[in-house]
Amino acid sequence: MPIDPESKLLKVQLKAILAEEREFASRVVYFRRADTQPPWWYNFIPFKFLVEYFVRKKETTQFSQKHLRFKETALRAAEEVVRSGNTERPRQEMKGELREFWMREQKLESREVYENLSAMMDLLMDHYLRLLQTREREYLLMVRGAYRDRPAYQEFLTRMEQVEHAIDQGVVEALGKTWPEPYIQSKQKAIRDVRKRALDDAF
C-alpha cells in the first residue's frame, strides 16, 4: 500500500520532537553538574573524568525517564488530535493516564500537586499540537511557525517554568522535606539556562 504523505510527515515531526526532548534532558543534566561544586574528595579519584562520565550518564538516564514520562503522554494526545480531528477525547484519555499513574505509582496525598500536574499536561498537549500543526519537519522551524515571535514563545516557557516550580515545591513539601531543596534548585536553574538558549536559538 502507498504511504500516506500526511502520516509520513506526522511521523517525522513526532521523531523530531522526541529527539529534542531527549536532548533537552541531557543538556539539563550537563548544565546542572557543571554548576555544582564537586566534593573535595573528588579530586583524589583516579581517572575522575571516567567517573564523571558514568555518573552523568546515569543521572541523564534517570532524569530523562522522569522528564519524558509526561511529555510522551501529552505528545501522544496531540498526535491523536491531529489524526482524528477530535480534541476532547484525546485530552480525556491523557488525563486518564495521569489518574492511573497518580493512583498506582505516585503515592502522594497532595491534591495541589495532582492539579498542577494536570495543568502541565494541558499546557504540553496544547504546545505539541501547535508544533504539529505547523507542518514543518525540523524542530526549530516548528517552534518558529507555532509561536511567530520571541515574546509568544517566552510566554509559553514562563508558564512551563511556573507550573514545574509549583509541582517541585508541592512534592518536596508533601514528602515532609524543607523547601527550598538544593537539588531541585540546581535542576530548576539548569532548566532555565537550557530554555534561555533554546529561546535564543529560535528567535
Side-chain angles (χ1 to χ4, degrees):
M1 295 178 62
I3 298 176
D4 179 1
E6 297 287 333
S7 177
K8 186 176 182 180
L9 171 61
L10 183 58
K11 289 178 180 178
V12 170
Q13 290 179 306
L14 295 169
K15 184 177 180 181
I17 292 171
L18 280 175
E20 178 61 27
E21 293 293 7
R22 292 190 181 99
E23 182 62 24
F24 175 87
S26 179
R27 290 191 204 111
V28 168
V29 173
Y30 180 84
F31 274 52
R32 195 198 74 76
R33 294 192 65 81
D35 282 345
T36 302
Q37 184 69 29
W40 63 269
W41 49 262
Y42 214 72
N43 294 320
F44 297 96
I45 299 178
F47 305 107
K48 65 178 180 180
F49 64 94
L50 283 177
V51 175
E52 170 61 20
Y53 169 79
F54 287 112
V55 170
R56 188 171 70 240
K57 184 176 180 181
K58 181 180 179 181
E59 184 175 337
T60 300
T61 299
Q62 293 173 339
F63 181 74
S64 295
Q65 289 173 344
K66 295 177 181 178
H67 172 76
L68 289 172
R69 176 159 201 159
F70 297 114
K71 296 200 169 184
E72 287 177 337
T73 301
L75 183 58
R76 284 197 303 272
E79 176 188 1
E80 182 57 28
V81 173
V82 173
R83 292 187 184 279
S84 68
N86 184 314
T87 302
E88 192 56 33
R89 187 181 67 212
R91 193 180 299 276
Q92 292 303 318
E93 290 175 352
M94 177 183 74
K95 295 300 182 69
E97 287 191 42
L98 175 60
R99 285 192 297 273
E100 185 74 10
F101 162 78
W102 188 258
M103 293 173 63
R104 294 184 178 275
E105 298 182 44
Q106 189 57 45
K107 310 298 186 186
L108 276 180
E109 296 182 3
S110 172
R111 183 69 187 178
E112 182 181 1
V113 172
Y114 178 80
E115 290 176 351
N116 282 319
L117 277 171
S118 182
M120 183 186 74
M121 298 290 282
D122 280 329
L123 190 59
L124 284 170
M125 177 182 165
D126 293 340
H127 167 65
Y128 291 139
L129 186 55
R130 292 180 70 165
L131 296 184
L132 296 175
Q133 289 173 334
T134 66
R135 302 181 59 77
E136 297 287 356
R137 292 172 173 267
E138 297 179 16
Y139 184 80
L140 279 180
L141 295 180
M142 282 188 255
V143 170
R144 290 167 185 160
Y147 291 97
R148 302 299 179 185
D149 57 31
R150 186 182 180 96
Y153 190 41
Q154 176 70 76
E155 181 182 357
F156 162 71
L157 295 177
T158 298
R159 292 173 66 193
M160 277 296 297
E161 180 180 340
Q162 290 170 344
V163 74
E164 288 169 347
H165 179 88
I167 291 168
D168 284 340
Q169 183 171 354
V171 168
V172 169
E173 292 175 350
L175 292 173
K177 298 181 179 180
T178 302
W179 180 266
E181 199 274 335
Y183 170 80
I184 298 296
Q185 283 187 305
S186 67
K187 182 197 73 171
Q188 289 180 343
K189 181 182 182 304
I191 288 174
R192 286 194 300 271
D193 291 343
V194 173
R195 283 183 175 151
K196 172 63 168 56
R197 291 199 175 191
L199 181 65
D200 292 341
D201 287 344
F203 298 100

